[in-house]
Amino acid sequence: MHLLMMLALRLCERWQEKDKPLLLDAVARATDQMRKPTANITAVVEASFEVMEACCQVVDNPYLTEALSNFKPAVSRAYYLSADRYRQGLQQTRAFFTDLPKAVLSRDSERAQALIRRFAEHQKSLIRQALDPETPVVEEGSL
């Protein structure tokens, strides 16, 4: 979460007009995957990583890119662990991918970081629920 927040901060600072198509196309591909009635979690996760990779390309920080890349296997496993719950929460994920570019393009790093924090907390809740079905899921309103 903190690495993604750092990426968002740098992205808000560094993106240029020429970067918009790269970023928005990656987001569009991810949200298109999420809109499919029978969303394939593997495709959604891969498209989500493509958004992160596009952001890394714009920020151009090899250390941050490497650190984030090193977490991809663990993040993938977490998504697959909670796949059923994640599939049910795709509307929230789509909202996140809709709101985050707006914050970045308006250079609102505080909003971008807050969105990432809330999304990460929700994802953490889904994983806890997958591990222990007695654990309540954090809903959008309580994020």
Side-chain angles (χ1 to χ4, degrees):
M1 173 181 67
H2 293 287
L3 290 172
L4 290 174
M5 290 169 64
M6 184 184 302
L7 180 63
L9 173 65
R10 298 294 175 251
L11 188 60
C12 287
E13 294 170 349
R14 297 181 183 173
W15 76 267
Q16 297 176 18
E17 197 63 32
K18 66 179 175 59
D19 301 317
K20 280 173 77 171
L22 172 70
L23 298 170
L24 294 178
D25 288 349
V27 169
R29 285 190 301 276
T31 56
D32 286 348
Q33 288 295 329
M34 294 170 207
R35 282 190 182 95
K36 293 182 178 178
T38 56
N40 177 319
I41 296 303
T42 302
V44 170
V45 170
E46 287 304 316
S48 299
F49 284 139
E50 288 175 14
V51 172
M52 182 188 76
E53 290 162 1
C55 295
C56 285
Q57 184 177 338
V58 171
V59 168
D60 193 28
N61 180 324
Y63 302 108
L64 182 56
T65 299
E66 182 177 354
L68 286 164
S69 293
N70 288 337
F71 281 104
K72 282 172 62 173
V75 171
S76 293
R77 285 190 300 275
Y79 278 125
Y80 299 126
L81 173 66
S82 61
D84 289 335
R85 286 164 189 82
Y86 186 72
R87 185 173 283 108
Q88 294 168 5
L90 280 178
Q91 183 176 350
Q92 288 173 315
T93 303
R94 198 168 52 243
F96 168 75
F97 277 97
T98 300
D99 294 342
L100 187 62
K102 292 175 188 173
V104 168
L105 294 178
S106 66
R107 300 194 190 278
D108 188 347
S109 61
E110 288 182 25
R111 175 83 175 130
Q113 290 177 328
L115 287 165
I116 291 168
R117 181 179 302 279
R118 282 198 305 260
F119 185 69
E121 290 299 326
H122 177 71
Q123 296 303 309
K124 204 177 344 177
S125 174
L126 292 176
I127 293 165
R128 286 185 184 133
Q129 177 72 24
L131 293 171
D132 179 9
E134 300 297 317
T135 303
V137 175
V138 175
E139 295 300 325
E140 178 79 17
S142 61
L143 294 177

